[in-house]
């Protein structure tokens, strides 16, 4: 099935650094979501975005819904070791219940 | 509150054997989803239910896969016969009716290895 293009695929950063990742699609979504998956666990919702241009924060996380509705960005400020994991974007189209299209994931490693 | 509960957490089986994965969604959630995660293909939606009724099974790989939801608190995903290429982590997720915007609650997954 279709997947969203997510970049970068992986990141190795030092504790305290800021992180940016993005997700693009060839088609429009009505909702963009960002999930985080810890090793050995299921994905957990971090942020949901419902309107084009929307900028939403959750602690050190900030995400934006692109104006074209075909992309989204996630920023993490002042990274800490527990930020390690895989970050997935997901898009949802109206009228498809909760059927999501997931991105390919960005694997984040944080070094001390 | 209890989250989505999946069992078993790990399953190792031999090719040709039947595998049954189980899921208990969050109480009150009317939608239940089965996903498969592999390195090559990422997270793939296999099937989802609304009020125990299968709505979209277009992601089920082939006839060897089947899923049931006999009641609101239980679902199974069965693979018969299993093949090595079925090795993956299988996730169950649920969401309430009002959550039609994609806010899924995932279980911890069942890691399947078919030898």
């Amino acid at each position: 099935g279709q997947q969203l293009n997510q970049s970068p695929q992986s990141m190795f950063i030092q504790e305290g650094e800021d992180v940016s990742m993005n997700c693009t699609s060839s088609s429009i979504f009505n909702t963009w979501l960002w999930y985080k998956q810890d090793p050995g666990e299921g994905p957990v919702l971090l942020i949901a975005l419902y309107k084009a241009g929307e900028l939403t924060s959750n602690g050190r996380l900030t995400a934006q819904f692109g104006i074209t509705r075909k992309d989204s960005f996630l920023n993490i400020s002042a990274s800490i070791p527990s930020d390690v994991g895989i970050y997935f974007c997901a898009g949802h189209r109206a009228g498809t219940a909760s059927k999501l299209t997931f991105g390919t994931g960005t694997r984040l490693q944080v070094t001390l | 509150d209890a989250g989505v509960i999946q069992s078993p957490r790990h399953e190792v089986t031999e090719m040709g054997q039947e595998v049954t994965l189980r899921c208990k969604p969050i109480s009150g959630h009317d939608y239940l989803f089965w996903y498969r995660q592999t390195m090559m293909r990422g997270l793939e939606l296999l099937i989802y239910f609304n009020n125990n009724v299968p709505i979209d099974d277009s992601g089920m790989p082939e006839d060897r896969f089947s899923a049931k939801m006999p009641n609101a608190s239980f679902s199974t995903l069965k693979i018969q016969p299993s093949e090595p290429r079925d090795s993956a982590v299988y996730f169950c997720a649920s969401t309430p009716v009002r959550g039609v915007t994609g806010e899924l609650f995932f279980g911890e997954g069942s890691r399947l290895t078919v030898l």
Side-chain angles (χ1 to χ4, degrees), chain A residues 3 31 33 35 37 40-43 45 50 88 92 97-100 102, chain B residues 9 31 33 37 41 45 56 91 95 99-104 106-108:
Chain A
Q3 280 192 330
T31 303
L33 307 103
Y35 286 81
Q37 184 176 22
E41 304 290 331
L45 181 66
Y50 302 107
F88 291 98
H92 175 260
S98 286
K99 191 173 177 179
L100 298 181
F102 276 91
Chain B
R9 288 296 311 274
Y31 287 87
F33 301 77
Q37 186 178 37
R41 300 174 69 89
L45 176 64
D56 184 348
F91 287 103
T95 193
V100 293
T101 51
E103 299 178 35
L104 302 183
F106 284 84
E108 294 183 314

PDB file of all heavy atoms in Angstrom, chain A residues 3 31 33 35 37 40-43 45 50 88 92 97-100 102, chain B residues 9 31 33 37 41 45 56 91 95 99-104 106-108:
ATOM      1  N   GLN A   3       2.779   4.513   1.088  1.00  0.00           N
ATOM      2  CA  GLN A   3       3.430   4.994   2.297  1.00  0.00           C
ATOM      3  C   GLN A   3       3.857   6.425   2.075  1.00  0.00           C
ATOM      4  O   GLN A   3       4.111   6.863   0.966  1.00  0.00           O
ATOM      5  CB  GLN A   3       4.652   4.142   2.632  1.00  0.00           C
ATOM      6  CG  GLN A   3       4.309   2.838   3.310  1.00  0.00           C
ATOM      7  CD  GLN A   3       5.526   2.152   3.883  1.00  0.00           C
ATOM      8  OE1 GLN A   3       6.618   2.293   3.367  1.00  0.00           O
ATOM      9  NE2 GLN A   3       5.341   1.389   4.940  1.00  0.00           N
ATOM     10  N   THR A  31      -5.811  15.153   8.058  1.00  0.00           N
ATOM     11  CA  THR A  31      -5.211  15.123   9.392  1.00  0.00           C
ATOM     12  C   THR A  31      -3.816  14.537   9.269  1.00  0.00           C
ATOM     13  O   THR A  31      -3.600  13.581   8.517  1.00  0.00           O
ATOM     14  CB  THR A  31      -6.029  14.238  10.358  1.00  0.00           C
ATOM     15  OG1 THR A  31      -7.370  14.718  10.412  1.00  0.00           O
ATOM     16  CG2 THR A  31      -5.432  14.238  11.751  1.00  0.00           C
ATOM     17  N   LEU A  33      -0.644  13.104  11.754  1.00  0.00           N
ATOM     18  CA  LEU A  33      -0.343  12.675  13.110  1.00  0.00           C
ATOM     19  C   LEU A  33       1.115  12.246  13.188  1.00  0.00           C
ATOM     20  O   LEU A  33       1.695  11.789  12.204  1.00  0.00           O
ATOM     21  CB  LEU A  33      -1.243  11.501  13.521  1.00  0.00           C
ATOM     22  CG  LEU A  33      -2.746  11.743  13.350  1.00  0.00           C
ATOM     23  CD1 LEU A  33      -3.256  11.020  12.114  1.00  0.00           C
ATOM     24  CD2 LEU A  33      -3.510  11.279  14.564  1.00  0.00           C
ATOM     25  N   TYR A  35       3.589   9.779  15.552  1.00  0.00           N
ATOM     26  CA  TYR A  35       3.665   8.733  16.556  1.00  0.00           C
ATOM     27  C   TYR A  35       5.131   8.450  16.878  1.00  0.00           C
ATOM     28  O   TYR A  35       6.004   8.628  16.042  1.00  0.00           O
ATOM     29  CB  TYR A  35       3.044   7.424  16.034  1.00  0.00           C
ATOM     30  CG  TYR A  35       1.538   7.407  15.962  1.00  0.00           C
ATOM     31  CD1 TYR A  35       0.856   7.984  14.895  1.00  0.00           C
ATOM     32  CD2 TYR A  35       0.789   6.786  16.961  1.00  0.00           C
ATOM     33  CE1 TYR A  35      -0.534   7.949  14.824  1.00  0.00           C
ATOM     34  CE2 TYR A  35      -0.598   6.741  16.898  1.00  0.00           C
ATOM     35  CZ  TYR A  35      -1.250   7.325  15.823  1.00  0.00           C
ATOM     36  OH  TYR A  35      -2.612   7.288  15.768  1.00  0.00           O
ATOM     37  N   GLN A  37       7.575   5.257  18.461  1.00  0.00           N
ATOM     38  CA  GLN A  37       7.626   3.857  18.847  1.00  0.00           C
ATOM     39  C   GLN A  37       8.921   3.596  19.605  1.00  0.00           C
ATOM     40  O   GLN A  37      10.018   3.747  19.055  1.00  0.00           O
ATOM     41  CB  GLN A  37       7.542   2.953  17.609  1.00  0.00           C
ATOM     42  CG  GLN A  37       7.496   1.479  17.944  1.00  0.00           C
ATOM     43  CD  GLN A  37       7.326   0.610  16.713  1.00  0.00           C
ATOM     44  OE1 GLN A  37       7.631   1.021  15.593  1.00  0.00           O
ATOM     45  NE2 GLN A  37       6.831  -0.598  16.896  1.00  0.00           N
ATOM     46  N   GLY A  40      10.462  -2.403  21.178  1.00  0.00           N
ATOM     47  CA  GLY A  40       9.643  -3.451  21.775  1.00  0.00           C
ATOM     48  C   GLY A  40       8.238  -3.018  22.159  1.00  0.00           C
ATOM     49  O   GLY A  40       7.523  -3.769  22.834  1.00  0.00           O
ATOM     50  N   GLU A  41       7.835  -1.843  21.727  1.00  0.00           N
ATOM     51  CA  GLU A  41       6.510  -1.336  22.083  1.00  0.00           C
ATOM     52  C   GLU A  41       5.728  -0.973  20.824  1.00  0.00           C
ATOM     53  O   GLU A  41       6.272  -0.968  19.717  1.00  0.00           O
ATOM     54  CB  GLU A  41       6.644  -0.094  22.965  1.00  0.00           C
ATOM     55  CG  GLU A  41       7.458  -0.289  24.232  1.00  0.00           C
ATOM     56  CD  GLU A  41       6.755  -1.161  25.239  1.00  0.00           C
ATOM     57  OE1 GLU A  41       5.511  -1.175  25.252  1.00  0.00           O
ATOM     58  OE2 GLU A  41       7.456  -1.850  26.023  1.00  0.00           O
ATOM     59  N   GLY A  42       4.464  -0.653  21.017  1.00  0.00           N
ATOM     60  CA  GLY A  42       3.663  -0.163  19.906  1.00  0.00           C
ATOM     61  C   GLY A  42       3.784   1.347  19.784  1.00  0.00           C
ATOM     62  O   GLY A  42       4.182   2.024  20.729  1.00  0.00           O
ATOM     63  N   PRO A  43       3.436   1.900  18.630  1.00  0.00           N
ATOM     64  CA  PRO A  43       3.484   3.354  18.454  1.00  0.00           C
ATOM     65  C   PRO A  43       2.532   4.067  19.410  1.00  0.00           C
ATOM     66  O   PRO A  43       1.444   3.569  19.711  1.00  0.00           O
ATOM     67  CB  PRO A  43       3.035   3.547  16.999  1.00  0.00           C
ATOM     68  CG  PRO A  43       3.305   2.234  16.331  1.00  0.00           C
ATOM     69  CD  PRO A  43       3.058   1.210  17.384  1.00  0.00           C
ATOM     70  N   LEU A  45       0.757   7.931  20.139  1.00  0.00           N
ATOM     71  CA  LEU A  45       0.485   9.232  19.516  1.00  0.00           C
ATOM     72  C   LEU A  45       1.171  10.357  20.286  1.00  0.00           C
ATOM     73  O   LEU A  45       1.073  10.446  21.511  1.00  0.00           O
ATOM     74  CB  LEU A  45      -1.023   9.482  19.482  1.00  0.00           C
ATOM     75  CG  LEU A  45      -1.451  10.805  18.831  1.00  0.00           C
ATOM     76  CD1 LEU A  45      -1.115  10.807  17.350  1.00  0.00           C
ATOM     77  CD2 LEU A  45      -2.936  11.048  19.051  1.00  0.00           C
ATOM     78  N   TYR A  50      -4.955  19.136  12.644  1.00  0.00           N
ATOM     79  CA  TYR A  50      -6.240  19.015  11.960  1.00  0.00           C
ATOM     80  C   TYR A  50      -6.498  20.068  10.889  1.00  0.00           C
ATOM     81  O   TYR A  50      -7.475  19.959  10.146  1.00  0.00           O
ATOM     82  CB  TYR A  50      -7.368  19.063  12.987  1.00  0.00           C
ATOM     83  CG  TYR A  50      -7.262  17.980  14.034  1.00  0.00           C
ATOM     84  CD1 TYR A  50      -6.872  18.299  15.346  1.00  0.00           C
ATOM     85  CD2 TYR A  50      -7.518  16.655  13.734  1.00  0.00           C
ATOM     86  CE1 TYR A  50      -6.760  17.303  16.308  1.00  0.00           C
ATOM     87  CE2 TYR A  50      -7.411  15.669  14.703  1.00  0.00           C
ATOM     88  CZ  TYR A  50      -7.029  16.000  15.978  1.00  0.00           C
ATOM     89  OH  TYR A  50      -6.917  15.019  16.926  1.00  0.00           O
ATOM     90  N   PHE A  88       7.090   8.092  13.538  1.00  0.00           N
ATOM     91  CA  PHE A  88       6.289   7.871  12.339  1.00  0.00           C
ATOM     92  C   PHE A  88       5.328   9.025  12.132  1.00  0.00           C
ATOM     93  O   PHE A  88       4.647   9.440  13.078  1.00  0.00           O
ATOM     94  CB  PHE A  88       5.457   6.592  12.452  1.00  0.00           C
ATOM     95  CG  PHE A  88       6.251   5.325  12.442  1.00  0.00           C
ATOM     96  CD1 PHE A  88       6.577   4.679  13.628  1.00  0.00           C
ATOM     97  CD2 PHE A  88       6.665   4.761  11.245  1.00  0.00           C
ATOM     98  CE1 PHE A  88       7.300   3.499  13.627  1.00  0.00           C
ATOM     99  CE2 PHE A  88       7.395   3.582  11.234  1.00  0.00           C
ATOM    100  CZ  PHE A  88       7.714   2.962  12.429  1.00  0.00           C
ATOM    101  N   HIS A  92      -4.311  10.994   7.471  1.00  0.00           N
ATOM    102  CA  HIS A  92      -5.686  10.485   7.466  1.00  0.00           C
ATOM    103  C   HIS A  92      -6.539  11.326   6.519  1.00  0.00           C
ATOM    104  O   HIS A  92      -6.435  12.547   6.504  1.00  0.00           O
ATOM    105  CB  HIS A  92      -6.273  10.541   8.878  1.00  0.00           C
ATOM    106  CG  HIS A  92      -7.713  10.159   8.949  1.00  0.00           C
ATOM    107  ND1 HIS A  92      -8.732  11.082   9.013  1.00  0.00           N
ATOM    108  CD2 HIS A  92      -8.320   8.948   8.931  1.00  0.00           C
ATOM    109  CE1 HIS A  92      -9.893  10.460   9.044  1.00  0.00           C
ATOM    110  NE2 HIS A  92      -9.676   9.165   9.000  1.00  0.00           N
ATOM    111  N   ALA A  97     -12.875   6.503   8.000  1.00  0.00           N
ATOM    112  CA  ALA A  97     -12.872   6.071   9.400  1.00  0.00           C
ATOM    113  C   ALA A  97     -11.536   6.478  10.003  1.00  0.00           C
ATOM    114  O   ALA A  97     -11.135   7.622   9.896  1.00  0.00           O
ATOM    115  CB  ALA A  97     -13.134   4.576   9.513  1.00  0.00           C
ATOM    116  N   SER A  98     -10.839   5.572  10.620  1.00  0.00           N
ATOM    117  CA  SER A  98      -9.529   5.907  11.168  1.00  0.00           C
ATOM    118  C   SER A  98      -8.422   5.193  10.420  1.00  0.00           C
ATOM    119  O   SER A  98      -7.388   4.869  10.981  1.00  0.00           O
ATOM    120  CB  SER A  98      -9.471   5.549  12.653  1.00  0.00           C
ATOM    121  OG  SER A  98     -10.205   6.464  13.411  1.00  0.00           O
ATOM    122  N   LYS A  99      -8.639   4.969   9.135  1.00  0.00           N
ATOM    123  CA  LYS A  99      -7.651   4.266   8.318  1.00  0.00           C
ATOM    124  C   LYS A  99      -6.501   5.216   8.025  1.00  0.00           C
ATOM    125  O   LYS A  99      -6.686   6.266   7.408  1.00  0.00           O
ATOM    126  CB  LYS A  99      -8.306   3.814   7.018  1.00  0.00           C
ATOM    127  CG  LYS A  99      -7.495   2.864   6.197  1.00  0.00           C
ATOM    128  CD  LYS A  99      -8.351   2.362   5.015  1.00  0.00           C
ATOM    129  CE  LYS A  99      -7.533   1.459   4.108  1.00  0.00           C
ATOM    130  NZ  LYS A  99      -8.348   0.951   2.981  1.00  0.00           N
ATOM    131  N   LEU A 100      -5.312   4.869   8.508  1.00  0.00           N
ATOM    132  CA  LEU A 100      -4.154   5.731   8.381  1.00  0.00           C
ATOM    133  C   LEU A 100      -3.179   5.220   7.334  1.00  0.00           C
ATOM    134  O   LEU A 100      -3.074   4.019   7.112  1.00  0.00           O
ATOM    135  CB  LEU A 100      -3.398   5.819   9.716  1.00  0.00           C
ATOM    136  CG  LEU A 100      -4.120   6.398  10.919  1.00  0.00           C
ATOM    137  CD1 LEU A 100      -3.200   6.426  12.127  1.00  0.00           C
ATOM    138  CD2 LEU A 100      -4.628   7.794  10.608  1.00  0.00           C
ATOM    139  N   PHE A 102       0.850   5.334   6.940  1.00  0.00           N
ATOM    140  CA  PHE A 102       2.013   5.623   7.765  1.00  0.00           C
ATOM    141  C   PHE A 102       3.237   5.952   6.933  1.00  0.00           C
ATOM    142  O   PHE A 102       3.403   5.456   5.811  1.00  0.00           O
ATOM    143  CB  PHE A 102       2.344   4.418   8.661  1.00  0.00           C
ATOM    144  CG  PHE A 102       1.533   4.382   9.920  1.00  0.00           C
ATOM    145  CD1 PHE A 102       0.327   3.692   9.954  1.00  0.00           C
ATOM    146  CD2 PHE A 102       1.960   5.024  11.063  1.00  0.00           C
ATOM    147  CE1 PHE A 102      -0.442   3.655  11.106  1.00  0.00           C
ATOM    148  CE2 PHE A 102       1.204   4.993  12.226  1.00  0.00           C
ATOM    149  CZ  PHE A 102      -0.003   4.309  12.249  1.00  0.00           C
TER     150      PHE A 102
ATOM    151  N   ARG B   9       3.124 -12.234  23.273  1.00  0.00           N
ATOM    152  CA  ARG B   9       4.085 -11.183  22.935  1.00  0.00           C
ATOM    153  C   ARG B   9       5.099 -11.704  21.931  1.00  0.00           C
ATOM    154  O   ARG B   9       5.567 -10.967  21.067  1.00  0.00           O
ATOM    155  CB  ARG B   9       4.812 -10.694  24.181  1.00  0.00           C
ATOM    156  CG  ARG B   9       3.973  -9.860  25.131  1.00  0.00           C
ATOM    157  CD  ARG B   9       3.505  -8.538  24.520  1.00  0.00           C
ATOM    158  NE  ARG B   9       4.552  -7.762  23.883  1.00  0.00           N
ATOM    159  CZ  ARG B   9       5.348  -6.912  24.504  1.00  0.00           C
ATOM    160  NH1 ARG B   9       5.238  -6.725  25.797  1.00  0.00           N
ATOM    161  NH2 ARG B   9       6.273  -6.223  23.839  1.00  0.00           N
ATOM    162  N   TYR B  31     -13.696   0.760  17.017  1.00  0.00           N
ATOM    163  CA  TYR B  31     -12.887   0.384  15.857  1.00  0.00           C
ATOM    164  C   TYR B  31     -11.690  -0.422  16.328  1.00  0.00           C
ATOM    165  O   TYR B  31     -11.031  -0.056  17.311  1.00  0.00           O
ATOM    166  CB  TYR B  31     -12.381   1.620  15.112  1.00  0.00           C
ATOM    167  CG  TYR B  31     -13.433   2.352  14.320  1.00  0.00           C
ATOM    168  CD1 TYR B  31     -14.228   3.325  14.907  1.00  0.00           C
ATOM    169  CD2 TYR B  31     -13.618   2.069  12.969  1.00  0.00           C
ATOM    170  CE1 TYR B  31     -15.197   3.983  14.183  1.00  0.00           C
ATOM    171  CE2 TYR B  31     -14.575   2.743  12.226  1.00  0.00           C
ATOM    172  CZ  TYR B  31     -15.358   3.700  12.834  1.00  0.00           C
ATOM    173  OH  TYR B  31     -16.313   4.364  12.106  1.00  0.00           O
ATOM    174  N   PHE B  33      -8.140  -2.419  14.698  1.00  0.00           N
ATOM    175  CA  PHE B  33      -7.275  -2.526  13.524  1.00  0.00           C
ATOM    176  C   PHE B  33      -6.195  -3.564  13.785  1.00  0.00           C
ATOM    177  O   PHE B  33      -5.685  -3.681  14.894  1.00  0.00           O
ATOM    178  CB  PHE B  33      -6.579  -1.188  13.245  1.00  0.00           C
ATOM    179  CG  PHE B  33      -7.508  -0.037  13.003  1.00  0.00           C
ATOM    180  CD1 PHE B  33      -8.151   0.590  14.055  1.00  0.00           C
ATOM    181  CD2 PHE B  33      -7.735   0.427  11.717  1.00  0.00           C
ATOM    182  CE1 PHE B  33      -9.014   1.658  13.833  1.00  0.00           C
ATOM    183  CE2 PHE B  33      -8.594   1.492  11.491  1.00  0.00           C
ATOM    184  CZ  PHE B  33      -9.235   2.101  12.553  1.00  0.00           C
ATOM    185  N   GLN B  37       4.086  -5.040  10.938  1.00  0.00           N
ATOM    186  CA  GLN B  37       5.277  -4.201  10.793  1.00  0.00           C
ATOM    187  C   GLN B  37       6.479  -5.049  10.433  1.00  0.00           C
ATOM    188  O   GLN B  37       6.826  -6.001  11.140  1.00  0.00           O
ATOM    189  CB  GLN B  37       5.569  -3.422  12.080  1.00  0.00           C
ATOM    190  CG  GLN B  37       6.717  -2.426  11.938  1.00  0.00           C
ATOM    191  CD  GLN B  37       6.948  -1.625  13.212  1.00  0.00           C
ATOM    192  OE1 GLN B  37       6.828  -2.122  14.326  1.00  0.00           O
ATOM    193  NE2 GLN B  37       7.263  -0.342  13.059  1.00  0.00           N
ATOM    194  N   ARG B  41       8.639  -3.263   4.727  1.00  0.00           N
ATOM    195  CA  ARG B  41       7.365  -2.660   4.307  1.00  0.00           C
ATOM    196  C   ARG B  41       6.767  -1.705   5.333  1.00  0.00           C
ATOM    197  O   ARG B  41       5.714  -1.113   5.084  1.00  0.00           O
ATOM    198  CB  ARG B  41       6.374  -3.780   3.980  1.00  0.00           C
ATOM    199  CG  ARG B  41       6.850  -4.694   2.856  1.00  0.00           C
ATOM    200  CD  ARG B  41       5.902  -5.872   2.689  1.00  0.00           C
ATOM    201  NE  ARG B  41       4.618  -5.450   2.153  1.00  0.00           N
ATOM    202  CZ  ARG B  41       4.325  -5.365   0.868  1.00  0.00           C
ATOM    203  NH1 ARG B  41       5.237  -5.669  -0.033  1.00  0.00           N
ATOM    204  NH2 ARG B  41       3.122  -4.989   0.468  1.00  0.00           N
ATOM    205  N   LEU B  45      -1.599  -1.807   7.154  1.00  0.00           N
ATOM    206  CA  LEU B  45      -2.919  -2.142   7.675  1.00  0.00           C
ATOM    207  C   LEU B  45      -3.395  -3.427   7.010  1.00  0.00           C
ATOM    208  O   LEU B  45      -3.433  -3.531   5.786  1.00  0.00           O
ATOM    209  CB  LEU B  45      -3.911  -1.017   7.392  1.00  0.00           C
ATOM    210  CG  LEU B  45      -5.355  -1.279   7.811  1.00  0.00           C
ATOM    211  CD1 LEU B  45      -5.467  -1.435   9.331  1.00  0.00           C
ATOM    212  CD2 LEU B  45      -6.258  -0.158   7.333  1.00  0.00           C
ATOM    213  N   ASP B  56     -12.849  -3.353   6.092  1.00  0.00           N
ATOM    214  CA  ASP B  56     -11.896  -3.313   4.983  1.00  0.00           C
ATOM    215  C   ASP B  56     -10.812  -4.341   5.241  1.00  0.00           C
ATOM    216  O   ASP B  56     -10.044  -4.195   6.187  1.00  0.00           O
ATOM    217  CB  ASP B  56     -11.289  -1.910   4.866  1.00  0.00           C
ATOM    218  CG  ASP B  56     -10.356  -1.767   3.661  1.00  0.00           C
ATOM    219  OD1 ASP B  56      -9.999  -2.788   3.047  1.00  0.00           O
ATOM    220  OD2 ASP B  56      -9.988  -0.631   3.342  1.00  0.00           O
ATOM    221  N   PHE B  91       0.540  -5.779  15.169  1.00  0.00           N
ATOM    222  CA  PHE B  91      -0.041  -4.865  16.151  1.00  0.00           C
ATOM    223  C   PHE B  91      -1.555  -4.827  16.014  1.00  0.00           C
ATOM    224  O   PHE B  91      -2.096  -4.832  14.906  1.00  0.00           O
ATOM    225  CB  PHE B  91       0.489  -3.444  15.954  1.00  0.00           C
ATOM    226  CG  PHE B  91       1.910  -3.247  16.392  1.00  0.00           C
ATOM    227  CD1 PHE B  91       2.937  -3.187  15.459  1.00  0.00           C
ATOM    228  CD2 PHE B  91       2.221  -3.105  17.738  1.00  0.00           C
ATOM    229  CE1 PHE B  91       4.251  -3.006  15.854  1.00  0.00           C
ATOM    230  CE2 PHE B  91       3.535  -2.929  18.146  1.00  0.00           C
ATOM    231  CZ  PHE B  91       4.546  -2.881  17.208  1.00  0.00           C
ATOM    232  N   THR B  95      -9.735   2.441  18.515  1.00  0.00           N
ATOM    233  CA  THR B  95     -10.066   3.850  18.638  1.00  0.00           C
ATOM    234  C   THR B  95     -11.562   3.978  18.863  1.00  0.00           C
ATOM    235  O   THR B  95     -12.335   3.143  18.385  1.00  0.00           O
ATOM    236  CB  THR B  95      -9.617   4.623  17.375  1.00  0.00           C
ATOM    237  OG1 THR B  95      -9.670   6.026  17.618  1.00  0.00           O
ATOM    238  CG2 THR B  95     -10.470   4.291  16.178  1.00  0.00           C
ATOM    239  N   GLY B  99     -13.182   9.062  17.527  1.00  0.00           N
ATOM    240  CA  GLY B  99     -11.797   9.213  17.063  1.00  0.00           C
ATOM    241  C   GLY B  99     -11.643   8.921  15.595  1.00  0.00           C
ATOM    242  O   GLY B  99     -10.800   8.120  15.206  1.00  0.00           O
ATOM    243  N   VAL B 100     -12.460   9.525  14.782  1.00  0.00           N
ATOM    244  CA  VAL B 100     -12.393   9.214  13.356  1.00  0.00           C
ATOM    245  C   VAL B 100     -11.322  10.014  12.653  1.00  0.00           C
ATOM    246  O   VAL B 100     -11.298  10.128  11.443  1.00  0.00           O
ATOM    247  CB  VAL B 100     -13.750   9.457  12.671  1.00  0.00           C
ATOM    248  CG1 VAL B 100     -14.764   8.466  13.169  1.00  0.00           C
ATOM    249  CG2 VAL B 100     -14.228  10.874  12.900  1.00  0.00           C
ATOM    250  N   THR B 101     -10.407  10.586  13.404  1.00  0.00           N
ATOM    251  CA  THR B 101      -9.359  11.379  12.799  1.00  0.00           C
ATOM    252  C   THR B 101      -8.011  10.685  12.881  1.00  0.00           C
ATOM    253  O   THR B 101      -6.986  11.292  12.667  1.00  0.00           O
ATOM    254  CB  THR B 101      -9.254  12.747  13.492  1.00  0.00           C
ATOM    255  OG1 THR B 101      -9.177  12.531  14.896  1.00  0.00           O
ATOM    256  CG2 THR B 101     -10.457  13.595  13.157  1.00  0.00           C
ATOM    257  N   GLY B 102      -7.989   9.420  13.221  1.00  0.00           N
ATOM    258  CA  GLY B 102      -6.740   8.680  13.145  1.00  0.00           C
ATOM    259  C   GLY B 102      -5.992   8.504  14.445  1.00  0.00           C
ATOM    260  O   GLY B 102      -4.868   8.046  14.434  1.00  0.00           O
ATOM    261  N   GLU B 103      -6.573   8.847  15.570  1.00  0.00           N
ATOM    262  CA  GLU B 103      -5.860   8.727  16.840  1.00  0.00           C
ATOM    263  C   GLU B 103      -5.994   7.296  17.351  1.00  0.00           C
ATOM    264  O   GLU B 103      -6.905   6.961  18.084  1.00  0.00           O
ATOM    265  CB  GLU B 103      -6.422   9.721  17.841  1.00  0.00           C
ATOM    266  CG  GLU B 103      -6.264  11.163  17.374  1.00  0.00           C
ATOM    267  CD  GLU B 103      -6.866  12.162  18.353  1.00  0.00           C
ATOM    268  OE1 GLU B 103      -6.805  11.923  19.565  1.00  0.00           O
ATOM    269  OE2 GLU B 103      -7.404  13.182  17.887  1.00  0.00           O
ATOM    270  N   LEU B 104      -5.066   6.467  16.948  1.00  0.00           N
ATOM    271  CA  LEU B 104      -5.109   5.055  17.297  1.00  0.00           C
ATOM    272  C   LEU B 104      -4.339   4.765  18.574  1.00  0.00           C
ATOM    273  O   LEU B 104      -3.322   5.405  18.854  1.00  0.00           O
ATOM    274  CB  LEU B 104      -4.520   4.212  16.168  1.00  0.00           C
ATOM    275  CG  LEU B 104      -5.160   4.327  14.800  1.00  0.00           C
ATOM    276  CD1 LEU B 104      -4.501   3.360  13.821  1.00  0.00           C
ATOM    277  CD2 LEU B 104      -6.645   4.061  14.878  1.00  0.00           C
ATOM    278  N   PHE B 106      -2.332   1.727  20.197  1.00  0.00           N
ATOM    279  CA  PHE B 106      -1.730   0.460  19.810  1.00  0.00           C
ATOM    280  C   PHE B 106      -1.427  -0.416  21.021  1.00  0.00           C
ATOM    281  O   PHE B 106      -1.103   0.086  22.105  1.00  0.00           O
ATOM    282  CB  PHE B 106      -0.409   0.697  19.070  1.00  0.00           C
ATOM    283  CG  PHE B 106      -0.577   1.161  17.653  1.00  0.00           C
ATOM    284  CD1 PHE B 106      -0.785   2.503  17.362  1.00  0.00           C
ATOM    285  CD2 PHE B 106      -0.500   0.256  16.604  1.00  0.00           C
ATOM    286  CE1 PHE B 106      -0.938   2.930  16.058  1.00  0.00           C
ATOM    287  CE2 PHE B 106      -0.641   0.679  15.295  1.00  0.00           C
ATOM    288  CZ  PHE B 106      -0.864   2.013  15.013  1.00  0.00           C
ATOM    289  N   GLY B 107      -1.507  -1.732  20.806  1.00  0.00           N
ATOM    290  CA  GLY B 107      -0.988  -2.681  21.781  1.00  0.00           C
ATOM    291  C   GLY B 107       0.518  -2.777  21.653  1.00  0.00           C
ATOM    292  O   GLY B 107       1.141  -2.086  20.830  1.00  0.00           O
ATOM    293  N   GLU B 108       1.108  -3.644  22.473  1.00  0.00           N
ATOM    294  CA  GLU B 108       2.564  -3.782  22.477  1.00  0.00           C
ATOM    295  C   GLU B 108       3.073  -4.681  21.360  1.00  0.00           C
ATOM    296  O   GLU B 108       4.277  -4.769  21.149  1.00  0.00           O
ATOM    297  CB  GLU B 108       3.026  -4.313  23.831  1.00  0.00           C
ATOM    298  CG  GLU B 108       2.773  -3.319  24.962  1.00  0.00           C
ATOM    299  CD  GLU B 108       3.293  -3.821  26.282  1.00  0.00           C
ATOM    300  OE1 GLU B 108       3.056  -5.002  26.615  1.00  0.00           O
ATOM    301  OE2 GLU B 108       3.944  -3.039  27.006  1.00  0.00           O
TER     302      GLU B 108
END
